[in-house]
Amino acid sequence: MNRLAVNHMRPYLLRETNSLMNRDRKTDQPSAPFRSAISQGRAASIPAVLVLAVLPASSTAPAEAGPFLAVKGAGSANLVLKDNDFSRAGQDVVLGPDVPPAAVKRNPSGGWQHPGVRDRLPVFRERVAERLTFPLSWPAWKERNGDDFERWRKETRARVRERFLAAPPAAPFAPEIVSSRKRDGFTAHKITFNLTADSRVLACLLVPDGTGPHPAVLMLHDHGAEFRIGKEKSVEPWYAPTEKTAVARKWVEKVYGGRFVGDELAARGYVVLVYDALNWSDRGGAGYDGQQALASNLLHLGMSFAGLIAHEDLRGAEFLASRPEVDKSRIAAMGHSMGCFRAWQVAAMSDHIAAGVCCCWMATVKSLMVPGNNQTKGQSAFTMTHPGLFNDLDYPDVASLACPKPMLFFAGEQDKLFPVPGVREAFAKMREVWKSRGAGDMLTTRLLPVPHQFNAAMQDEAFEWLDRQLRPQTTNQGQPKPRG
């Protein structure tokens, strides 16, 4: 038996043998005829001159010396490579007419990796995913430490905060009103305040008519690859240039059933706060193409893009709780898409948030790390990716830190961003946590026949649900109906 030692000069080998294998140079995969020949037991030959080292049968190849393949045959110069090298069929590929697959013995190190990346994912992604066990999830933690939910929440919140990376320093909020506009049932204020010591931001604060304190909603805007507007996706701007107002109106027609959700909530009696996340509207500058560079630069500064957004949303909740117009025991978070992610995240991490309405952003991480999913494409994903988090927790595990608060989740069966099996699995995992605390009725999960949107019917359901949670004394007593 000869042992063929193949070194790392694979590019040279492939270049010299492309014609013999009828290789498709564009896809770097064997052509259909070649794959057919392999599947039928016929094979292509490779010249002995391209075998880089031939060891005598008596030789012992050390494991650390590299990938070695043992082939039966009297001096035959044949090469056997694993599927990773030539195809996706999951079978050994044998090059050489006289070497059947059964004759192949693989060294434990087995061939070499080529390519290393497919569809923007490492070729070993499935093995990595199998190693994600989420040891800080409530079920796993409980099995090790016992049924101490408050201790789990305290310890796990601290761990999640670490995954947010460095927080910007705090500063007095010091709010100032820039302009105001009276609207039907409420007054809209454009304000500035110190979201952090690094960022004094423009925001919209909507205050209902009547005597407070009122329930409140921290309204968290979506991503949508639309960076010209942020807060204006929830509140119709009266202060912006005509172009920005037109963009905002077009956006709500597309995503929100023609409604500005923040305005709708204020008309129903809720104080509403909405501000721009970094890179949107008045805080813009990088746009879509610059997201990845922005995320990288923040990491070089010891922060993360997703972590900064999370830290700022915690401050937003704190600001609302400090307002005299607000009943600090009745504050909800609400959002669609990236805003949904932000809503359940801040509900999980802040005691200032008493309830959450979360539309179209929930699934398991394993269901999203598949070829073609939006989360695998970089750019936008960095606004929702916390380095190292998945070594501890999955998305539904983080959301479960909100238990036993009342939470409403919507998802769409036609939403191409979130595979339905992954959504169902995430919802089921959360339901088990709420049930374990005797609060199963406090979690509502709705999978609807809709695409990625927060339409008028969904809003109506959300508003009525929110009234039951935060305004039970006035429910069914002639509350204003949503406009539009």
Side-chain angles (χ1 to χ4, degrees):
M1 176 181 294
N2 290 328
R3 291 184 178 272
L4 306 183
V6 185
N7 74 3
H8 297 289
M9 293 180 65
R10 175 175 175 74
Y12 167 75
L13 186 151
L14 290 179
R15 183 173 65 252
E16 297 299 320
T17 59
N18 260 333
S19 60
L20 291 172
M21 296 190 306
N22 299 314
R23 195 172 186 79
D24 186 329
R25 294 177 183 270
K26 290 184 179 180
T27 64
D28 197 32
Q29 296 296 318
S31 64
F34 180 79
R35 293 197 302 271
S36 176
I38 293 300
S39 67
Q40 297 174 20
R42 296 179 285 111
S45 296
I46 187 168
V49 69
L50 294 180
V51 178
L52 303 174
V54 179
L55 304 181
S58 59
S59 297
T60 301
E64 66 273 13
F68 290 87
L69 303 166
V71 182
K72 288 182 179 179
S76 174
N78 300 306
L79 181 63
V80 182
L81 297 173
K82 187 64 178 172
D83 162 60
N84 248 4
D85 301 301
F86 288 99
S87 75
R88 304 184 186 189
Q91 300 177 349
D92 286 341
V93 174
V94 180
L95 301 178
D98 58 343
V99 184
V104 180
K105 296 181 181 179
R106 295 178 58 79
N107 179 277
S109 65
W112 62 86
Q113 190 178 86
H114 178 83
V117 179
R118 289 191 183 116
D119 300 310
R120 302 185 181 93
L121 289 159
V123 294
F124 46 84
R125 67 171 178 87
E126 291 181 355
R127 293 197 294 275
V128 176
E130 289 173 1
R131 296 197 296 267
L132 296 177
T133 60
F134 312 116
L136 294 189
S137 67
W138 169 238
W141 189 95
K142 178 182 176 182
E143 186 175 345
R144 295 191 309 272
N145 300 286
D147 190 14
D148 190 341
F149 192 81
E150 290 305 316
R151 179 186 159 203
W152 168 74
R153 180 160 54 191
K154 180 179 178 180
E155 293 180 359
T156 305
R157 272 184 171 179
R159 183 61 169 168
V160 174
R161 281 256 193 174
E162 290 177 9
R163 297 302 191 186
F164 289 171
L165 301 187
F173 294 117
E176 294 181 355
I177 295 177
V178 177
S179 67
S180 300
R181 174 68 60 88
K182 183 68 179 71
R183 288 182 167 169
D184 186 14
F186 65 96
T187 300
H189 301 289
K190 181 169 74 169
I191 68 169
T192 60
F193 75 105
N194 295 323
L195 189 55
T196 70
D198 293 333
S199 299
R200 186 168 181 83
V201 301
L202 276 172
C204 293
L205 182 68
L206 313 183
V207 181
D209 295 346
T211 304
H214 306 279
V217 174
L218 178 62
M219 193 75 212
L220 301 162
H221 70 73
D222 64 46
H223 186 293
E226 177 53 83
F227 297 91
R228 291 172 293 177
I229 52 175
K231 57 189 176 298
E232 297 84 8
K233 295 178 179 182
S234 301
V235 174
E236 185 171 18
W238 70 94
Y239 51 83
T242 303
E243 180 183 356
K244 180 174 282 192
T245 302
V247 171
R249 288 173 177 164
K250 184 176 180 180
W251 189 254
V252 300
E253 288 292 337
K254 175 183 177 181
V255 181
Y256 297 102
R259 294 171 170 175
F260 288 92
V261 179
D263 291 346
E264 298 292 331
L265 286 163
R268 294 183 72 95
Y270 292 89
V271 174
V272 177
L273 173 69
V274 58
Y275 47 84
D276 301 317
L278 186 66
N279 200 33
W280 274 267
S281 191
D282 290 297
R283 300 180 72 195
Y288 184 88
D289 292 338
Q291 293 175 99
Q292 206 148 291
L294 175 60
S296 175
N297 294 335
L298 284 166
L299 286 170
H300 281 85
L301 295 169
M303 308 176 81
S304 81
F305 196 2
L308 175 61
I309 293 171
H311 285 303
E312 290 185 344
D313 288 344
L314 291 170
R315 283 279 291 174
E318 184 181 348
F319 174 69
L320 260 183
S322 74
R323 297 299 302 165
E325 311 95 332
V326 172
D327 180 345
K328 65 181 181 181
S329 69
R330 295 188 290 158
I331 301 174
M334 180 182 292
H336 165 67
S337 194
M338 182 183 78
C340 170
F341 178 96
R342 296 167 66 192
W344 58 251
Q345 180 173 256
V346 73
M349 297 298 292
S350 174
D351 290 333
H352 294 300
I353 300 297
V357 176
C358 313
C359 181
C360 292
W361 211 114
M362 176 52 69
T364 61
V365 65
K366 293 180 184 181
S367 73
L368 300 182
M369 287 295 101
V370 296
N373 188 274
N374 197 56
Q375 281 297 100
T376 68
K377 298 176 182 178
Q379 295 291 16
S380 305
F382 281 98
T383 60
M384 294 157 280
T385 302
H386 299 297
L389 176 66
F390 302 114
N391 292 318
D392 301 322
L393 299 152
D394 200 351
Y395 293 121
D397 301 322
V398 177
S400 293
L401 289 165
C403 177
K405 298 175 184 178
M407 299 288 290
L408 171 61
F409 284 82
F410 289 119
E413 293 175 337
Q414 301 165 23
D415 190 335
K416 297 180 180 180
L417 300 179
F418 297 93
V420 170
V423 174
R424 291 187 188 279
E425 184 180 354
F427 282 175
K429 194 170 191 181
M430 290 190 293
R431 281 195 295 269
E432 288 304 311
V433 177
W434 263 260
K435 287 178 182 178
S436 76
R437 310 325 301 160
D441 60 337
M442 302 301 281
L443 175 66
T444 301
T445 58
R446 301 271 283 135
L447 187 57
L448 304 173
V450 297
H452 191 72
Q453 62 180 213
F454 190 18
N455 63 37
M458 297 163 76
Q459 292 170 39
D460 290 345
E461 182 177 341
F463 297 156
E464 292 172 7
W465 180 90
L466 196 59
D467 285 346
R468 292 195 299 272
Q469 311 311 318
L470 301 187
R471 307 181 67 188
Q473 72 278 11
T474 59
T475 302
N476 299 322
Q477 294 184 17
Q479 289 305 305
K481 294 181 180 181
R483 298 172 297 167

